[in-house]
Amino acid sequence: EAQVTQNPRYLITVTGKKLTVTCSQNMNHEYMSWYRQDPGLGLRQIYYSMNVEVTDKGDVPEGYKVSRKEKRNFPLILESPSPNQTSLYFCASSTGMAKNIQYFGAGTRLSVL
Amino acid sequence: AQKVTQAQTEISVVEKEDVTLDCVYETRDTTYYLFWYKQPPSGELVFLIRRNSFDEQNEISGRYSWNFQKSTSSFNFTITASQVVDSAVYFCALSEAKDTDKLIFGTGTRLQVFP
């Protein structure tokens, strides 16, 4: 089954404790992206990757890091989480063209205390 | 600048009523794509439809229909004979051919369908 898998689904942590949210897709997609969803703001792009070893900032990259060492994986790293990073996070993948449908993971709900 | 506006924050209807979710977009690109996604209470994002800027034909899929009008930069979504299972947050989104890097989302419309 074609899917984008995120882990964990729920995470509660404390300020400053490094964490990683994993994302993996099995559709051989070149393009992967991270979004955060906040009430009243919709989804905003954090980082994206057009292919292995190619990453770039989205609209809200501050406080986040990503890496793309393999085509299927695109982890999101919060080196020093802060309460304003409490949010619902989505990973997405597609074949990389504007017309193509982005497929989303199930989401990771993060709370930073 | 690209932008998607969903002015309706929340809509409540009673089952079997028809409901229309509005979406207005802004873009300077002549080639672009419009999407609707559904986010049920379980939280995942489910793709519903994609339209390209050159195809203004309306589309119907069961109880769902979409009205794309370039003249008003709108891509509205109608649910006919709504059901409780339609309760969700619905997002309209835009991607531009010249900027393949992102999907620009509206702020979403929460639809509640009461029995």
Side-chain angles (χ1 to χ4, degrees):
Chain A
E1 180 190 353
Q3 58 185 7
V4 178
T5 304
Q6 292 179 232
N7 281 297
R9 292 290 314 279
Y10 303 92
L11 180 58
I12 301 174
T13 190
V14 295
T15 299
K17 187 176 181 182
K18 181 179 178 179
L19 66 91
T20 299
V21 184
T22 63
C23 174
S24 179
Q25 50 93 4
N26 63 1
M27 295 170 277
N28 201 35
H29 285 163
E30 286 82 17
Y31 175 93
M32 297 185 75
S33 182
W34 277 102
Y35 295 83
R36 60 177 289 173
Q37 180 182 353
D38 300 292
L41 296 176
L43 280 81
R44 295 176 293 167
Q45 190 184 54
I46 303 170
Y47 268 95
Y48 64 93
S49 168
M50 299 299 284
N51 215 323
V52 175
E53 302 292 0
V54 180
T55 64
D56 210 343
K57 297 177 181 178
D59 296 320
V60 288
E62 294 77 21
Y64 304 95
K65 283 177 59 176
V66 293
S67 68
R68 188 90 180 274
K69 293 184 170 53
E70 304 166 284
K71 196 173 189 179
R72 62 182 290 127
N73 296 323
F74 190 44
L76 179 70
I77 302 157
L78 284 72
E79 296 264 357
S80 183
S82 62
N84 64 12
Q85 292 178 299
T86 292
S87 188
L88 178 58
Y89 291 87
F90 286 99
C91 180
S93 76
S94 80
T95 57
M97 295 176 67
K99 66 179 181 179
N100 289 319
I101 300 160
Q102 289 197 26
Y103 295 94
F104 287 82
T108 296
R109 189 167 292 281
L110 171 65
S111 293
V112 182
L113 305 177
Chain B
Q2 341 85 318
K3 187 179 179 182
V4 175
T5 301
Q6 295 179 257
Q8 304 151 308
T9 305
E10 189 160 342
I11 301 174
S12 295
V13 299
V14 177
E15 228 176 0
K16 297 184 184 170
E17 281 187 40
D18 298 348
V19 57
T20 295
L21 310 182
D22 297 333
C23 173
V24 174
Y25 62 93
E26 293 176 31
T27 178
R28 291 183 182 157
D29 207 347
T30 54
T31 303
Y32 53 89
Y33 303 86
L34 296 163
F35 302 80
W36 276 94
Y37 283 86
K38 175 182 180 180
Q39 186 177 43
S42 50
E44 71 273 22
L45 282 163
V46 179
F47 164 78
L48 294 178
I49 192 172
R50 173 191 62 198
R51 299 301 274 175
N52 73 58
S53 52
F54 300 109
D55 183 1
E56 285 194 74
Q57 277 194 344
N58 292 332
E59 182 153 343
I60 298 174
S61 176
R63 297 184 296 107
Y64 294 174
S65 62
W66 292 268
N67 183 302
F68 176 30
Q69 291 197 332
K70 286 177 78 169
S71 61
T72 56
S73 297
S74 65
F75 185 43
N76 297 337
F77 173 29
T78 297
I79 302 174
T80 303
S82 59
Q83 300 177 1
V84 172
V85 294
D86 295 326
S87 296
V89 179
Y90 291 87
F91 290 97
C92 181
L94 163 74
S95 69
E96 298 173 321
K98 68 170 176 55
D99 185 2
T100 59
D101 305 331
K102 68 169 73 174
L103 205 50
I104 300 138
F105 283 87
T107 52
T109 297
R110 180 178 299 277
L111 173 64
Q112 291 196 310
V113 182
F114 294 99

